Amino acid sequence: MNTNVFDGPQQDIPAVLMNRDRRVAKQSQLLRENPNQVLVAAKLNIPGPFKTSPLIRRFLKRGCIALKISGW
């Protein structure tokens, strides 16, 4: 396993849940403000207490770029 994947800051459960609630609220707001649009959400389900690192951010960014290139 590449240990560089998990070299970011550690998150506790309350922070993870708060981020989830914030994400859901933002998505709900976007859908209310743009009822005729489609919302595409990209996120990674990272196990354990380390939810981000430079490698994880790069992976997510490349995925978002791939969606944009494919016509989304």
Side-chain angles (χ1 to χ4, degrees), residues 2-39:
N2 185 345
T3 57
N4 292 336
V5 172
F6 302 106
D7 66 356
Q10 191 169 352
Q11 297 260 334
D12 59 9
I13 296 295
V16 171
L17 295 175
M18 185 175 61
N19 286 333
R20 182 194 63 188
D21 292 344
R22 190 176 328 149
R23 188 171 51 250
V24 168
K26 181 63 175 180
Q27 290 171 350
S28 297
Q29 174 192 355
L30 288 169
L31 289 169
R32 275 192 314 275
E33 293 172 356
N34 304 282
N36 297 322
Q37 300 295 316
V38 175
L39 174 66

Side-chain angles (χ1 to χ4, degrees), residues 1 5-6 16-17 19-20 23-24 27 41-53 56-57 59-60:
M1 177 180 289
V5 172
F6 302 106
V16 171
L17 295 175
N19 286 333
R20 182 194 63 188
R23 188 171 51 250
V24 168
Q27 290 171 350
K43 70 182 227 52
L44 301 173
N45 290 319
I46 308 295
F50 300 96
K51 302 298 184 189
T52 188
S53 71
I56 290 170
R57 284 192 298 276
F59 182 81
L60 182 59

